[in-house]
């Protein structure tokens, strides 16, 4: 028997990225390949939350793709899908400010998503 229950993951997101997701203009979320995200799959729901607030935004996961590093992810997914308001180089610097080299060494995940209820 297959479990058809929708899985909901809660993940924190900085305000600037949260606003892009809520507007539907950010369609790719970047994360490190942490073990707790290993089973993230299409059909799952991510509830993004601004840490310390009650503000949330739900998205449906469409695809999860692994990359060796953040440069490969941005080149493979297109920087405009990750953050339409920043250049590739600006995004790479921002992502690396969040995730130091030892985290990037774990690999990167591109999570394609769409708003659950725009």
């Amino acid at each position: 028997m297959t479990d058809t229950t929708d899985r909901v993951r809660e993940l924190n997101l900085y305000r600037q990225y949260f606003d892009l997701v809520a507007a539907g203009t950010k369609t790719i979320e970047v994360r490190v390949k942490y073990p707790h995200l290993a089973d993230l799959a299409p059909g799952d729901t991510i509830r993004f939350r601004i840490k310390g607030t009650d503000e949330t935004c739900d998205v449906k996961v469409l695809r999860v793709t692994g990359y060796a590093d953040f440069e490969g992810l941005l080149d493979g997914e297109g920087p405009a899908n990750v953050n339409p308001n920043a250049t590739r180089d600006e995004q790479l610097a921002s992502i690396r400010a969040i995730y130091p080299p030892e985290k990037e060494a774990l690999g990167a995940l591109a999570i394609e998503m769409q708003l659950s209820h725009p």
Side-chain angles (χ1 to χ4, degrees), residues 3-30:
D3 182 5
T4 58
T5 306
D6 286 338
R7 295 186 310 165
V8 178
R9 301 285 185 91
E10 287 210 11
L11 299 174
N12 290 320
L13 203 56
Y14 290 110
R15 163 67 69 192
Q16 66 185 25
Y17 304 120
F18 180 93
D19 289 345
L20 293 171
V21 170
T25 57
K26 178 177 172 59
T27 59
I28 301 290
E29 172 62 4
V30 176

Side-chain angles (χ1 to χ4, degrees), residues 14 31-34 68-70 92-108:
Y14 290 110
R31 294 287 163 144
V32 166
K33 283 186 189 178
Y34 289 123
D69 56 30
F70 298 132
L92 190 57
S94 294
I95 293 167
R96 286 183 169 154
I98 295 168
Y99 298 113
E102 64 271 14
K103 298 293 185 188
E104 184 175 1
L106 297 172

Side-chain angles (χ1 to χ4, degrees), residues 105-117:
L106 297 172
L109 290 178
I111 304 166
E112 184 179 8
M113 61 198 171
Q114 79 179 69
L115 285 172
S116 293
H117 44 80

Side-chain angles (χ1 to χ4, degrees), residues 37-116:
L37 295 176
D39 63 345
L40 188 65
D44 288 350
T45 295
I46 296 174
R47 178 165 296 135
F48 287 115
R49 177 179 306 278
I50 298 174
K51 193 172 186 170
T53 76
D54 291 333
E55 288 185 76
T56 63
C57 178
D58 288 359
V59 298
K60 187 68 72 176
V61 175
L62 302 178
R63 172 179 58 86
V64 181
T65 304
Y67 289 89
D69 56 30
F70 298 132
E71 288 190 55
L73 185 151
L74 288 172
D75 292 343
E77 300 295 332
N81 296 316
V82 176
N83 182 348
N85 298 333
T87 68
R88 178 191 179 280
D89 289 342
E90 290 168 338
Q91 289 182 54
L92 190 57
S94 294
I95 293 167
R96 286 183 169 154
I98 295 168
Y99 298 113
E102 64 271 14
K103 298 293 185 188
E104 184 175 1
L106 297 172
L109 290 178
I111 304 166
E112 184 179 8
M113 61 198 171
Q114 79 179 69
L115 285 172
S116 293

